[in-house]
Amino acid sequence: MHRIVAMPLVAGLILAMSGCGRGNLSVGSETATSQEAQPPPSPDVGDIAHFHGCAELPRRKLSAYEDCLVGRLKKQCTPAADCVLTCLASPHGHSVGGGCDHVCFGDNVRFQPKDRPTAMDECRETTSIAKRQNAATEGSRQTESFLTREEGLAIARKAATAHGYDLERYSLDAFGRELSEDGGRWLFGFLCKPVPPPGCMFLVVVDRRTGIAEVFPGE
């Protein structure tokens, strides 16, 4: 009798458990599906649909070209210029495909290429010229910062005299290597006159960048 009563109870428990399991699997599946279906956020290119009077403040650090553009467009504010400034001020407008040119004057936008401010090309040319000039100036400075042979030799003679050498008794070594392999130092050897005995010489090393000289006696 007890066995007959227990069987329906066991069957009911099994059905209840299996039903719960199916319910949990269904919920988990729906949750995973909803998470996968979420699209990535759109890039923030600014509120280009409205006119802001060219007064949008940058929300990121601007490049030299963009600084030039902001200065010029604020003085010649038009709806198209406002779109460019709003885009430049945004976090992502400059980095989308085509940049703010595409955002404001690409397909399916309200401005036509004819509305594009000429300052966009003028600033690009201006900053390009400035970069070339800066590069040339920097290269010139680097070249000028290296002491010439004549300058290095003058420093070497002065250092030798300061160390007590009478340069009237020495001649410059005409056969030694005067420039280090890395090009950063002058190497001036001085030999006793008229015929130097072994060890009767000294060497002066001059740093071409700093002008610091070191004197090394012969052995």
Side-chain angles (χ1 to χ4, degrees):
M1 179 68 179
H2 292 291
R3 185 177 299 174
I4 296 173
V5 173
M7 291 297 291
L9 290 174
V10 172
L13 286 172
I14 292 173
L15 287 173
M17 292 173 65
S18 63
C20 290
R22 284 195 298 271
N24 288 338
L25 286 173
S26 176
V27 171
S29 176
E30 290 175 1
T31 303
T33 303
S34 63
Q35 289 178 349
E36 292 175 0
Q38 292 180 355
S42 300
D44 183 357
V45 299
D47 181 16
I48 60 173
H50 299 89
F51 183 71
H52 304 281
C54 299
E56 283 288 281
L57 297 176
R59 288 180 278 164
R60 62 182 182 84
K61 182 176 177 60
L62 301 180
S63 66
Y65 162 71
E66 292 166 339
D67 275 331
C68 171
L69 200 53
V70 168
R72 295 198 184 191
L73 293 184
K74 282 183 177 294
K75 296 177 182 178
Q76 305 170 358
C77 188
T78 64
D82 181 70
C83 177
V84 174
L85 289 176
T86 301
C87 174
L88 287 177
S90 70
H92 307 132
H94 69 293
S95 59
V96 299
C100 291
D101 248 326
H102 176 76
V103 170
C104 294
F105 308 104
D107 297 333
N108 302 320
V109 292
R110 58 194 179 116
F111 296 109
Q112 301 296 320
K114 63 181 180 63
D115 301 318
R116 186 176 179 274
T118 57
M120 297 183 76
D121 293 324
E122 293 168 353
C123 281
R124 197 174 300 280
E125 179 64 20
T126 298
T127 52
S128 177
I129 291 173
K131 284 182 180 179
R132 291 196 296 268
Q133 290 175 339
N134 289 338
T137 301
E138 184 62 25
S140 176
R141 285 176 180 171
Q142 290 179 356
T143 301
E144 292 172 358
S145 66
F146 283 94
L147 294 174
T148 64
R149 180 185 182 280
E150 289 71 21
E151 292 169 335
L153 182 56
I155 292 173
R157 290 182 181 278
K158 185 175 181 180
T161 302
H163 277 72
Y165 289 100
D166 181 3
L167 295 183
E168 293 295 328
R169 298 175 54 196
Y170 294 87
S171 61
L172 192 63
D173 183 3
F175 300 98
R177 181 188 181 97
E178 290 190 340
L179 191 61
S180 64
E181 290 186 2
D182 62 2
R185 294 169 297 169
W186 288 115
L187 313 173
F188 297 108
F190 292 85
L191 306 176
C192 292
K193 296 190 293 188
V195 179
C200 190
M201 55 86 64
F202 65 91
L203 176 70
V204 182
V205 179
V206 180
D207 190 302
R208 295 186 68 197
R209 296 178 179 85
T210 64
I212 295 175
E214 294 182 273
V215 180
F216 299 92
E219 297 180 357

